[in-house]
Amino acid sequence: MSSIAMNKPGTTVLLMGNEAVARGAIEAGIGVAAAYPGSPSSEVLPAIAGVAKEMNIHAEWSVNEKVATEVAAGASFAGIRSFVVMKQNGVNVAVDFIVNLNMTGIGEGGMVIFVADDPGGMTSSNEEDSRTITKWLDNPLLEPSSAQEAKEMTKWAYELSEAVNLLTFVRGVTRISYTKSNVVLGELPERREKKAYFPELWDMYNPKKSKFTSGPFPIYHKPLHEKLEKAREIFETSTFNRYRGPENPDVLVITCGACTSYCTEAVDELRAGDRVGVLKLGTTWPLPEKLVAKHLSTTKKVLFVEEMDPFVEQSVMELAASLLPTTCDLTFYGARSGHLTPYNEQSTNLVINALMDILGTTYQPRDLTYDREAKEAIKIVPNRPINMCPGCSHRATFWAVKKALQLDGRKGFLCGDIGCYSMGFAGPGFFQSRTMHAMGSGTGVANGLGNLKHFGFDQPVLAITGDSTFFHATMPALVNGVYNNSNFILLIVDNSATAMTGFQPHPGTGQLATGEQATVVDMEGLCRAIGAEVKVCDPFDLDNATATLLGMMQQDAGVRVIIMRHMCQLVKDKRKIPRKYKMHVDSEKCLADTCGCDMLCTRLFGCPGLMVDRETGKASIDEALCVGCGLCTDICPANAIIREEAIG
Amino acid sequence: MSRQTLKKEPFNLIISGVGGQGNVLLSAFVGEALVNEGFMISVADTFGVSQRGGSVTSHIKISKKTLYSSVTLKGKADVILGMEPVETLRSLVEFGNPDVFVIVNPRPVYPSGGVAYPDLDEVKKSIVKLSSQTKFVSATEEALKMGNPIYANIILLGSLVGAGILPISKESMMPILEEHFPGKMLDTNIEAFNKGMELAGH
Ligand code: SF4
Ligand code: SF4
């Protein structure tokens, strides 16, 4: 989307929240942007990278979020405004560096992290509120309520960051990142050819002079708290905090972020605008206490509406406690009272329900007879489980794993990891993955399991990792395994992309975030240099992949790596690589229910390209979905699925 | 501000389908046309893991005066564009009401992992029961006739515009198709779009 770089202030364009954030950073005049892909934040960096050249920005996919934050800090130290983007899990990775960075302070260039949280975990392996982390880190926090505000806040965050000399967080959620809406563009900065320069001042006992090394710590910790107080002062008058409603509302709703529009919609839907006021906070940490105290004095009932942790709720209640006895007749509603949940997403309907209870009103969204009929109709609607794409190479890998483990017969198992292949713990991966936690953790856990021989442990241990995940966090675990003489097999499923998050390049792909050519980091050579035995297979050569894996399993010593290399089907589609086979099912050979295979192809193997013909009960190919990878031919015990070389 | 009128404020469109069918592309096209017409809109697409074969929806809230949250309130859909019958029914159950208008592609996408698909006629009957204004558009079938199931979503786009229920016209859609589809692809996609308009009785 080229509108990101459009220099027409005042123009209205349709932008996804993530693109608006990118635009905000560009309007702020950033010189460096670094990120690791993670939905719902994945689209921010590509939007910046797309205009990096013309705007003189260095934009990179870093190998992980800690390195990304360090890259940005380097720029800040040398006076350049820098930007880091990550999802909630990424904050966990970056935190170790940030704690230390807060002690020294940033450089002259403002530094901002945009983190996208994922209430409900729609695109995540967990549900986590990163705001709580920014609080204990002592960093200022802004929460946008729309794409427009996401742009404005990202831009303003640089002024704040420089004013208080602290890394500043802008925290969005999935609904902000992935909602497209009208955004009015601001001005783009002049292309500056600013000289980056690392300052020379150094005096260990003067935190104002010492740059970028910290200690003695109390001397450095104190100014950190002073900086935060300064941020609080600035927040007291920020226009990102707004109130809509009567002077003395029966109920004061305190909200932030995506929930803001849920609250105003709920008030409108209930026609309760004369009874309910909405205080929307954009600056949620540190809390603008004077502003909030003023509003608390106007009401007797307060409802908190926010997603996940009762973050604002707790800060405001702490404030109310400090204001006793003036606040003693306030009643609080929210997560603590059970009116809303401290997990999952909120919605306008959930806010309506909470308000109905507090106000004692009723609400009927639609005709009651219709409602009954709808509830009747839902009974025939089946669930739709997620699946790997037709032609996905992971399906082949998991099939080989399943086969090899069966043939080996020692109750071996696979430790899972994060990516499309996470689906390995469920039907699409034939339930092969038995653990799944953080990036790279499958290999770490395998390290531990593989060193239990002297406790009689004799099950083969496999771990799986994606190519991008390998560089992010698996590498140290592999080194650890070799060094400590653990016993496991690492499968690297190398499909040439960070597929789950949108096919971003990584160090093994030979491409930079900007699309330019990069040095290929040789994964195979790297594993060998670490000291592991390495074999490479194409999982679509199913027999060979299974046999290789089985052979390696039976060596039963040391750390062995098997790289399963085959391009992600969607990357093939993007590159317009033609299909390999034309598929059909020989209905003479497919014996359906009488075969004894129990419809292995559709029920167990489960490629979406296969279906059961309603009339005959036999397998057939869904030509709208099949991509002609040919894999199913190899799994049908009756040889009924026929592949022919596709021509043209 | 748009010169076109809106039947309701806000006006809620939902596009329902299965991950991989291209709902994000459709919502982007419709969204862009609406913004060009001067409307204020919020579009919420399903991203992430559901895009791998799960249920996906795009919600588009259209307004003449303000930006709303992106997700439709229960029972408040004005139009549902269904790319798949069961997914259409799923959306109707949650967001339908006696006045909702439905355009639906009757071609099932079967769930994987041995999950049974209900009887198609029964699904269609339930859809009609929950929306007396239902139009079936055999988009996948027509697309396969054109040589690639991928055209189904542009056919459906044509039907949505052709049905005249949204404040966008063929004229507002054309520049967007032109920008998105280079060279030869453009002709086939315009053909698909026209086919869709025709099927909507335009
Ligand atoms: S996007 Fe690629 S890796 Fe992910 S499920 Fe689809 S084919 Fe497999
Ligand atoms: S050839 Fe078989 S396994 Fe491959 S996409 Fe088609 S149906 Fe699926």
Side-chain angles (χ1 to χ4, degrees):
Chain A
M1 286 219 176
S2 55
S3 47
I4 291 283
M6 196 192 279
N7 195 10
K8 289 189 194 148
T11 313
T12 302
V13 290
L14 182 65
L15 290 186
M16 184 198 273
N18 279 342
E19 295 169 318
V21 166
R23 172 76 187 200
I26 295 168
E27 286 180 11
I30 57 162
V32 168
Y36 182 79
S39 302
S41 76
S42 308
E43 293 74 14
V44 180
L45 191 91
I48 297 172
V51 301
K53 243 207 180 115
E54 51 188 296
M55 304 298 301
N56 195 25
I57 296 168
H58 168 75
E60 70 166 51
W61 285 124
S62 306
V63 291
N64 65 38
E65 294 85 351
K66 178 168 174 279
V67 174
T69 311
E70 289 155 351
V71 165
S76 166
F77 294 167
I80 303 293
R81 283 189 170 183
S82 63
F83 192 40
V84 197
V85 182
M86 60 190 66
K87 70 180 298 179
Q88 78 271 10
N89 309 70
V91 181
N92 308 341
V93 178
V95 148
D96 197 15
F97 174 66
I98 300 172
V99 178
N100 288 282
L101 178 67
N102 282 349
M103 287 284 150
T104 71
I106 57 168
E108 300 233 312
M111 185 173 164
V112 174
I113 290 185
F114 174 71
V115 49
D117 282 4
D118 187 15
M122 290 176 282
T123 67
S124 302
S125 59
N126 75 340
E127 189 184 45
E128 171 185 343
D129 196 329
S130 68
R131 298 179 301 172
T132 312
I133 306 179
T134 56
K135 179 176 169 180
W136 70 250
L137 279 172
D138 290 327
N139 289 97
L141 172 66
L142 307 174
E143 289 192 63
S145 63
S146 66
Q148 181 80 51
E149 202 174 48
K151 178 178 89 64
E152 308 311 339
M153 273 184 180
T154 306
K155 187 175 173 187
W156 183 74
Y158 283 90
E159 283 173 39
L160 178 72
S161 167
E162 286 167 9
V164 298
N165 188 245
L166 267 183
L167 165 66
T168 297
F169 278 85
V170 178
R171 182 255 196 182
V173 291
T174 312
R175 292 289 173 199
I176 297 292
S177 282
Y178 284 154
T179 294
K180 293 193 204 106
S181 59
N182 307 53
V183 173
V184 183
L185 299 180
E187 204 149 342
L188 287 184
E190 292 283 302
R191 189 189 151 116
R192 301 162 313 160
E193 307 293 342
K194 182 174 176 180
K195 185 167 166 50
Y197 181 73
F198 188 85
E200 284 156 65
L201 292 169
W202 203 81
D203 171 358
M204 191 161 114
Y205 292 96
N206 183 350
K208 292 224 167 64
K209 273 196 175 167
S210 161
K211 295 275 180 183
F212 324 131
T213 60
S214 63
F217 297 102
I219 297 180
Y220 283 78
H221 205 169
K222 182 168 169 269
L224 175 58
H225 289 168
E226 288 164 0
K227 290 172 181 180
L228 217 56
E229 279 314 306
K230 193 170 161 196
R232 192 195 304 277
E233 265 322 300
I234 296 172
F235 284 175
E236 292 289 359
T237 54
S238 165
T239 50
F240 293 127
N241 304 319
R242 289 191 296 268
Y243 176 74
R244 189 194 93 164
E247 211 169 301
N248 289 100
D250 292 352
V251 181
L252 172 70
V253 179
I254 302 184
T255 189
C256 56
C259 296
T260 306
S261 50
Y262 305 153
C263 296
T264 49
E265 273 178 18
V267 172
D268 291 349
E269 198 68 17
L270 291 170
R271 300 180 200 290
D274 53 340
R275 297 181 60 194
V276 182
V278 177
L279 175 62
K280 170 257 182 217
L281 295 177
T283 65
T284 48
W285 184 256
L287 191 74
E289 293 189 342
K290 287 182 208 136
L291 174 82
V292 175
K294 188 186 91 197
H295 283 278
L296 289 181
S297 70
T298 64
T299 188
K300 297 261 180 300
K301 292 178 178 172
V302 180
L303 169 67
F304 299 100
V305 181
E306 60 191 316
E307 282 169 325
M308 297 192 283
D309 293 353
F311 180 77
V312 172
E313 178 167 340
Q314 282 171 358
S315 318
V316 173
M317 281 165 95
E318 194 181 307
L319 170 68
S322 77
L323 295 172
L324 283 170
T326 55
T327 47
C328 67
D329 51 359
L330 281 177
T331 312
F332 295 105
Y333 305 88
R336 178 176 266 267
S337 71
H339 281 76
L340 290 161
T341 60
Y343 48 83
N344 214 343
E345 284 198 294
Q346 305 297 359
S347 69
T348 305
N349 285 102
L350 289 171
V351 181
I352 288 175
N353 292 348
L355 278 174
M356 269 194 327
D357 185 72
I358 301 167
L359 295 169
T361 51
T362 54
Y363 170 72
Q364 188 196 313
R366 70 182 169 195
D367 181 77
L368 284 178
T369 325
Y370 188 95
D371 205 53
R372 238 173 294 148
E373 280 169 1
K375 284 189 181 126
E376 198 51 40
I378 190 72
K379 290 184 186 152
I380 65 166
V381 177
N383 281 336
R384 194 179 284 280
I386 52 167
N387 200 344
M388 295 161 190
C389 306
C392 176
S393 53
H394 298 330
R395 189 173 287 108
T397 296
F398 281 109
W399 194 264
V401 166
K402 181 176 146 62
K403 267 265 136 84
L405 286 171
Q406 258 167 8
L407 290 167
D408 175 84
R410 287 177 293 164
K411 296 209 168 358
F413 58 94
L414 181 70
C415 299
D417 223 296
I418 310 297
C420 282
Y421 56 93
S422 290
M423 286 185 248
F425 78 88
F430 323 118
F431 307 98
Q432 294 303 300
S433 299
R434 299 294 163 77
T435 71
M436 190 177 76
H437 302 88
M439 296 280 286
S441 293
T443 309
V445 170
N447 264 269
L449 286 158
N451 250 331
L452 297 177
K453 226 178 198 139
H454 50 290
F455 296 106
F457 185 84
D458 55 7
Q459 295 159 270
V461 179
L462 314 182
I464 190 168
T465 191
D467 37 3
S468 183
T469 310
F470 175 79
F471 292 112
H472 179 284
T474 305
M475 255 166 57
L478 182 63
V479 173
N480 191 72
V482 171
Y483 170 55
N484 288 302
N485 203 18
S486 189
N487 173 8
F488 65 90
I489 297 174
L490 173 62
L491 286 100
I492 306 179
V493 283
D494 178 8
N495 64 354
S496 313
T498 319
M500 183 80 256
T501 50
F503 321 106
Q504 295 83 358
H506 58 67
T509 60
Q511 204 191 37
L512 294 172
T514 50
E516 286 155 293
Q517 222 185 358
T519 312
V520 179
V521 177
D522 169 15
M523 193 187 291
E524 207 178 312
L526 190 63
C527 293
R528 285 212 174 92
I530 287 172
E533 182 194 338
V534 183
K535 293 212 163 110
V536 184
C537 292
D538 180 345
F540 279 84
D541 186 352
L542 204 53
D543 287 344
N544 176 48
T546 311
T548 310
L549 184 56
L550 183 64
M552 277 185 141
M553 248 152 79
Q554 292 181 342
Q555 289 174 9
D556 200 24
V559 176
R560 292 135 285 159
V561 172
I562 174 164
I563 300 178
M564 295 287 194
R565 185 167 287 153
H566 195 101
M567 195 183 282
C568 160
Q569 179 60 38
L570 296 192
V571 174
K572 283 193 207 171
D573 290 350
K574 275 180 201 298
R575 299 194 188 158
K576 304 217 179 319
I577 296 177
R579 58 176 55 199
K580 208 164 166 200
Y581 299 108
K582 217 178 137 22
M583 306 298 296
H584 74 273
V585 175
D586 184 337
S587 53
E588 303 274 283
K589 285 193 186 155
C590 175
L591 303 174
D593 282 345
T594 59
C595 168
C597 78
D598 196 16
M599 295 308 283
L600 178 97
C601 61
T602 48
R603 199 186 48 79
L604 189 66
F605 180 69
C607 172
L610 288 160
M611 61 183 188
V612 181
D613 188 294
R614 276 194 175 265
E615 262 121 64
T616 62
K618 298 187 181 201
S620 74
I621 299 285
D622 186 338
E623 49 178 326
L625 294 173
C626 170
V627 296
C629 74
L631 185 65
C632 49
T633 299
D634 293 324
I635 61 106
C636 172
N639 295 322
I641 309 178
I642 314 294
R643 61 180 177 216
E644 290 163 62
E645 300 283 334
I647 335 157
Chain B
M1 166 91 65
S2 171
R3 287 165 286 114
Q4 307 268 11
T5 51
L6 260 190
K7 295 197 184 88
K8 218 181 108 247
E9 178 69 40
F11 191 81
N12 300 318
L13 164 68
I14 296 177
I15 303 174
S16 333
V18 176
Q21 281 191 305
N23 71 311
V24 176
L25 186 74
L26 266 193
S27 75
F29 284 2
V30 173
E32 219 168 294
L34 285 163
V35 169
N36 292 346
E37 289 289 341
F39 288 100
M40 304 192 75
I41 65 163
S42 298
V43 186
D45 296 310
T46 311
F47 273 86
V49 77
S50 293
Q51 281 188 305
R52 308 281 176 261
S55 304
V56 294
T57 53
S58 296
H59 295 235
I60 307 186
K61 267 194 200 166
I62 312 164
S63 166
K64 279 189 86 112
K65 50 176 195 195
T66 185
L67 285 176
Y68 289 89
S69 79
S70 49
V71 180
T72 312
L73 271 67
K74 297 229 172 345
K76 300 289 180 191
D78 297 299
V79 178
I80 295 176
L81 178 66
M83 306 174 79
E84 201 279 344
V86 150
E87 295 313 319
T88 310
L89 186 54
R90 198 190 304 279
S91 289
L92 263 173
V93 165
E94 194 171 353
F95 302 106
N97 57 69
D99 298 319
V100 66
F101 191 102
V102 173
I103 294 176
V104 51
N105 176 11
R107 170 67 142 82
V109 174
Y110 297 107
S112 47
V115 174
Y117 196 90
D119 182 61
L120 183 58
D121 287 329
E122 209 183 316
V123 175
K124 285 184 176 169
K125 247 189 254 158
S126 298
I127 293 175
V128 173
K129 194 165 182 192
L130 292 179
S131 165
S132 54
Q133 311 176 74
T134 300
K135 243 183 214 320
F136 289 98
V137 173
S138 302
T140 306
E141 239 166 75
E142 291 295 333
L144 284 170
K145 276 191 218 156
M146 291 180 65
N148 196 332
I150 206 137
Y151 300 121
N153 59 49
I154 300 300
I155 295 177
L156 286 169
L157 179 67
S159 299
L160 180 68
V161 173
I165 33 178
L166 286 187
I168 44 175
S169 59
K170 182 174 174 181
E171 288 66 48
S172 46
M173 223 53 245
M174 277 307 130
I176 294 165
L177 294 184
E178 273 160 31
E179 197 194 306
H180 191 84
F181 297 111
K184 258 189 15 215
M185 272 163 74
L186 179 64
D187 295 339
T188 346
N189 279 287
I190 290 182
E191 190 191 322
F193 184 86
N194 289 338
K195 185 86 226 164
M197 288 200 66
E198 189 187 303
L199 290 171
H202 197 77

